[in-house]
Amino acid sequence: MAWPQTLRPLSLPVIGAPLFIISNPDLVIAQCKNGVIGAFPALNARPKEKLDDWLAAITSELAAFKAAHSEAEVAPFAVNQIIHASNDRLMHDLALCAKYKAPIVITSLAAPSAITPHVHAWGGLVFHDVISVRHAKKAIEAGVDGLVLVCAGAGGHAGTLSPFAFVEEIRKFWQGPIALSGAIATGRAVLAARALGADFAYVGTRFIATEEANADARYKQMIVESDAAGILTSAYFTGVSGNYLRQSVVDAGLDPDDLPERDKTAMSFESAKATEAVKAWRDIYGAGQGVGAIDDVLPAAEVIARMRREYLAAKQDLAKGF
Ligand SMILES: Cc1cc2nc3c(=O)[nH]c(=O)nc-3n(C[C@H](O)[C@H](O)[C@H](O)COP(=O)(O)O)c2cc1C
């Protein structure tokens, strides 16, 4: 299947995944200028009126950069929308996406049937993230243009399927764009995603350890110091299974191997030791199993340049045969 033109000007087949709290215009602009799709959750712009400023900054900066560098591969940006009854900003945020003609909208949670006609009307594409074949079929029925397959080991709310199993099953009935998510942090892992049958790698945790990311220095350093054994998978913090840095759980005064009982639907909780509420995402740091491959905090441009070198080197290595 031919790719929509929107998805073409890339230096590397990578989408910088949307990260709650962490993704901001600086990171998205750096990703797009360096040829990878930059995405951010609309909810990161708070209060909601700020989303107008964010979209104005991203679109004007990228347009100016394109005008000044006609040869550069400037990637499109994406806005992540949470389709859930609790998101009372959805229509407001979508209207702003229409105003700025957001090239891609990435939807999470419920199938985006009510959203896709709006996005298509301004020429945008809809990608929906899924953790199962059943959800993928529902998304396709809802008219999406691409699927994000969230697999085991991904940062934040992860799936449980192996990428080998998941991509093969989806490719039996879907020939459109697929982005693959879960522990991809190097160029050779990006190439592996392509070899598996995905079109893009969907990279989250690697971009937390960048200078632009809106995360504490302690969070970034913990990613640099951790490896896969340092990732805790638990539904304790948000009611849905997710991957987090064990050390942040310890620092919040909890024992990652013996978490107390709690109300599974609450979004924050009283830690055993802390006196004030400890919040998932703010205090309990989300990260995927790919942390072991992340050894430095760099500007996003350098992360992307290195990934591209690794990608091309891995491609050459493979071309030599096995
Ligand atoms: C701290 C954190 C916050 C995240 N927030 C969101 C979010 O707001 N919306 C969303 O669709 N996915 C979110 N994700 C999931 C990512 O978009 C992506 O699927 C995941 O990071 C990919 O796995 P990786 O981190 O191993 O690269 C988040 C992930 C992390 C680590």
Side-chain angles (χ1 to χ4, degrees):
M1 185 173 173
W3 281 8
Q5 200 59 30
T6 311
L7 300 173
R8 288 201 177 272
L10 303 185
S11 67
L12 198 61
V14 166
I15 299 174
L19 303 163
F20 186 53
I21 302 173
I22 294 160
S23 312
N24 58 13
D26 286 350
L27 180 57
V28 171
I29 289 167
Q31 289 169 325
C32 295
K33 279 184 179 173
N34 288 282
V36 313
I37 296 168
F40 69 98
L43 295 175
N44 280 9
R46 289 171 195 218
K48 67 182 180 194
E49 289 69 27
K50 216 171 159 187
L51 183 59
D52 204 339
D53 303 340
W54 281 31
L55 287 165
I58 292 168
T59 49
S60 64
E61 179 95 14
L62 293 180
F65 186 77
K66 264 187 221 168
H69 303 83
S70 54
E71 75 301 340
E73 288 156 315
V74 182
F77 69 91
V79 182
N80 175 222
Q81 301 283 10
I82 307 294
I83 316 289
H84 189 263
S86 64
N87 182 9
D88 57 9
R89 291 176 46 166
L90 181 59
M91 292 327 284
H92 166 273
D93 292 353
L94 204 64
L96 285 172
C97 287
K99 175 177 170 187
Y100 290 95
K101 295 191 165 41
I104 304 166
V105 171
I106 299 173
T107 51
S108 305
L109 298 183
S113 27
I115 303 297
T116 42
H118 295 291
V119 181
H120 290 162
W122 77 72
L125 301 174
V126 178
F127 277 52
H128 188 64
D129 72 18
V130 297
I131 58 166
S132 71
V133 169
R134 189 171 66 86
H135 288 129
K137 287 185 170 164
K138 278 190 167 180
I140 293 165
E141 276 168 28
V144 301
D145 306 282
L147 295 172
V148 179
L149 308 189
V150 183
C151 295
H157 290 155
T160 54
L161 291 176
S162 152
F164 290 90
F166 204 7
V167 177
E168 293 294 355
E169 285 198 30
I170 298 292
R171 276 294 179 226
K172 283 186 176 169
F173 57 86
W174 172 251
Q175 301 316 313
I178 287 180
L180 189 63
S181 150
I184 300 175
T186 63
R188 69 177 162 205
V190 174
L191 185 66
R194 298 275 289 125
L196 265 182
D199 301 292
F200 306 95
Y202 199 74
V203 178
T205 301
R206 172 61 266 195
F207 285 110
I208 301 174
T210 57
E211 287 177 4
E212 293 87 350
N214 178 36
D216 281 356
R218 214 168 61 88
Y219 189 169
K220 296 178 186 181
Q221 192 52 30
M222 211 181 276
I223 285 178
V224 167
E225 287 167 6
S226 296
D227 52 23
I231 299 298
L232 172 73
T233 304
S234 173
Y236 176 74
F237 306 104
T238 66
V240 178
S241 182
N243 287 321
Y244 304 92
L245 288 161
R246 291 177 75 91
Q247 187 58 48
S248 67
V249 178
V250 173
D251 291 352
L254 292 160
D255 177 354
D257 298 311
D258 186 20
L259 292 169
E261 290 294 315
R262 66 180 286 268
D263 172 7
K264 283 201 175 118
T265 58
M267 288 299 284
S268 71
F269 61 93
E270 293 295 324
S271 112
K273 229 163 67 178
T275 49
E276 55 171 314
V278 174
K279 280 195 170 153
W281 312 117
R282 188 194 67 183
D283 308 307
I284 304 297
Y285 299 157
Q289 289 177 0
V291 283
I294 303 169
D295 297 325
D296 40 27
V297 179
L298 293 171
E302 286 182 35
V303 169
I304 294 163
R306 182 162 68 195
M307 246 185 216
R308 186 170 150 78
R309 285 195 303 274
E310 292 166 345
Y311 179 82
L312 295 174
K315 225 172 159 179
Q316 274 190 346
D317 268 4
L318 288 182
K320 289 180 196 151
F322 59 92

